Amino acid sequence: CYLALTEMAIRFVTGYPAVFITDERILAIADVQIGLEHELYKKGIVIHAQADKFLKTLTHLIKATKAKRLVIVGDLKHTVPGTSLREDRELLRFFGHLTKKVKVVLVKGNHDTGLTGLLPKEVEVHDGRGVKIGKYGFFHGHAWPAKELIGCDHMIMGHLQPGVEFTDKIGHRAVEQV
């Protein structure tokens, strides 16, 4: 499998939940879920806002890969329906920073309701059925992909958030992101 990936233009970004498409200079991510920490707070779990951490990581990845385009394959934010005030502030700052570095393409996911009015005009927005860029199709996964994506050589999808579960001899479980 490693050999096949090295011959293709799609490469996993080691240590990060992202892929880089070399021939199109696209960095693709999905399911960032900005604002999840507020929902966790309401349930008694306190973690700091993660948007700045995500922004720092993306800035590093854009620089390291020399990406010309960032494709967000859905679920950029968490709150459904609408957005929280915190998400509004974080998303404005998030996009304000990223649009100065790369062209940003957003394929809306099922959590991305209420985003359209918050986005700078520089952000290219597509519904969850996706967008075709070159020979690559990007769709979120909560909706069937658009017809024009079916003929793509490669399709990139978010939404599933795969993980692997480890269970030890005494029944302790740990789930790790894939």
Side-chain angles (χ1 to χ4, degrees), residues 31-153:
D31 299 286
V32 178
Q33 305 262 347
I34 289 175
L36 172 63
E37 56 274 39
H38 182 67
E39 182 177 318
L40 293 173
Y41 174 78
K42 291 188 293 187
K43 295 177 180 176
I45 302 168
V46 180
I47 60 171
H48 296 288
Q50 299 294 299
D52 288 337
K53 178 182 171 184
F54 296 146
L55 193 53
K56 184 178 178 182
T57 300
L58 279 174
T59 300
H60 165 73
L61 292 177
I62 289 165
K63 186 176 179 181
T65 61
K66 297 181 176 77
K68 299 293 182 201
R69 192 175 338 203
L70 172 66
V71 177
I72 303 168
V73 193
D75 286 359
L76 174 63
K77 66 173 202 65
H78 180 71
T79 303
V80 176
T83 60
S84 69
L85 291 175
R86 174 184 256 175
E87 284 174 338
D88 290 353
R89 283 193 316 269
E90 290 175 348
L91 290 168
L92 286 170
R93 190 174 70 252
F94 190 82
F95 281 114
H97 182 77
L98 288 175
T99 55
K100 292 176 186 169
K101 301 203 170 299
V102 290
K103 178 176 178 153
V104 179
V105 178
L106 172 68
V107 175
K108 291 173 79 175
N110 53 305
H111 282 253
D112 294 327
T113 61
L115 265 181
T116 307
L118 292 172
L119 301 176
K121 64 181 183 289
E122 297 87 10
V123 177
E124 182 182 318
V125 181
H126 300 273
D127 68 24
R129 294 173 48 81
V131 61
K132 180 180 179 184
I133 302 173
K135 60 186 177 184
Y136 304 93
F138 300 86
F139 70 107
H140 181 60
H142 72 289
W144 193 256
K147 286 182 183 178
E148 60 269 15
L149 272 64
I150 302 301
C152 290
D153 289 354

Side-chain angles (χ1 to χ4, degrees), residues 1-14 18-23 135-136 153-156 178:
C1 185
Y2 176 76
L3 178 61
L5 284 175
T6 59
E7 292 172 1
M8 292 178 20
I10 301 173
R11 303 192 190 256
F12 292 103
V13 181
T14 304
V19 295
F20 183 64
I21 301 169
T22 59
D23 58 337
K135 60 186 177 184
Y136 304 93
D153 289 354
H154 308 282
M155 293 175 61
I156 310 295
V178 174

